[in-house]
Amino acid sequence: MWPFRKKTVLPQCDDRLSHIAFIMDGNGRWAERRGLPREAGHRAGAENFRRVVRLCGDAGIRTVTVYAFSTENWKRPQKEVEELMRLLSRYLDEVLEKIGQEQVTLRFLGDPAPLDPALREKIRRAEQATADQDRVVNVALNYGGRDEIVHAVNALLSQGKRHVTEEDISRNLYTAAQRDPDLVVRTGGDIRTSNFLMWQSAYAEYYFTDVLWPDLDADVLAAAIREFYSRKRRYGGL
């Protein structure tokens, strides 16, 4: 008989931890370790994205942001890029077929211009159809932190701004009107920020784990949450 594995009980988060952002790293390595093509890792990662969003909801997290495709990811092999876009298209089809089941507002962060017009239309429809839910899921797609800041500055210039404040920039980011992330979790073992939410994460706590994204589960999420609450956040004070 297999030993019984006790189900992980996720810590319940209060207002101190309302927004978690994930750098979803390790899909390719997950596949390679199993002798599978990298595309299989991305498919496993896409499935785990759905599970992690639900786990965050169970823990009381109001906003989840995931780094799905960076402005630099276009440099990857064309076959891999095409598979990533197909996975996103399928996910959007599911969202549009099952409106309201997940009870989340879906938002996309980044420049949609280089995307296929049909994909852009699905994104528009999904954002419109899921608006006004209590929880938010942000998908950073063709996104780069530096590019976002440049986008915000250019928007301010087009408004005729000659003097710019931090509030001006925040209001013109892709995440305008949203709370900044409290915790950024990076899977896959690398310890760097990779041009993700550079402005918004200025005071976020970071949690790095060797676990590859498709294997991130309730145990890893619970450990990240507990680590967050163990830290003293001073914001430059004492």
Side-chain angles (χ1 to χ4, degrees), residues 1-5:
M1 180 180 295
W2 291 102
F4 175 75
R5 185 172 184 268

Side-chain angles (χ1 to χ4, degrees), residues 90-105:
R90 290 175 198 153
Y91 171 68
L92 290 170
D93 288 338
E94 291 177 16
V95 169
L96 292 167
E97 289 171 7
K98 303 174 182 178
I99 293 299
Q101 287 192 15
E102 297 293 339
Q103 297 184 324
V104 297
T105 291

Side-chain angles (χ1 to χ4, degrees), residues 34-190:
R34 289 161 175 77
L36 300 171
R38 289 177 60 85
E39 291 78 15
H42 293 306
R43 289 192 289 272
E47 286 301 315
N48 204 39
F49 158 70
R50 295 168 172 82
R51 288 190 287 270
V52 171
V53 168
R54 295 187 186 107
L55 287 172
C56 287
D58 293 342
I61 302 296
R62 309 308 303 168
T63 303
V64 174
T65 301
V66 295
Y67 205 3
F69 192 87
S70 78
T71 50
E72 291 79 23
N73 285 156
W74 296 106
K75 302 173 186 175
R76 293 189 176 190
Q78 184 177 357
K79 182 182 178 183
E80 186 172 342
V81 171
E82 289 174 351
E83 178 62 19
L84 286 165
M85 295 303 163
R86 276 195 294 270
L87 287 169
L88 174 60
S89 182
R90 290 175 198 153
Y91 171 68
L92 290 170
D93 288 338
E94 291 177 16
V95 169
L96 292 167
E97 289 171 7
K98 303 174 182 178
I99 293 299
Q101 287 192 15
E102 297 293 339
Q103 297 184 324
V104 297
T105 291
L106 189 62
R107 292 191 57 186
F108 285 81
L109 316 179
D111 179 9
L115 304 177
D116 179 81
L119 184 57
R120 292 202 303 266
E121 174 60 17
K122 284 185 182 181
I123 288 171
R124 185 196 67 78
R125 290 172 54 205
E127 288 185 322
Q128 185 178 55
T130 60
D132 302 321
Q133 298 290 335
D134 289 338
R135 295 173 56 222
V136 175
V137 174
N138 295 311
V139 178
L141 180 67
N142 192 35
Y143 173 90
R146 289 183 175 182
D147 181 74
E148 179 181 28
I149 294 169
V150 170
H151 167 83
V153 171
N154 282 326
L156 290 164
L157 290 173
S158 70
Q159 297 164 24
K161 284 281 188 179
R162 297 176 63 87
H163 175 74
V164 174
T165 66
E166 288 189 15
E167 290 74 18
D168 289 329
I169 292 177
S170 293
R171 282 196 295 266
N172 284 273
L173 296 173
Y174 295 126
T175 54
Q178 294 195 43
R179 172 168 165 165
D180 289 342
D182 305 295
L183 173 64
V184 179
V185 176
R186 179 170 188 145
T187 60
D190 289 329

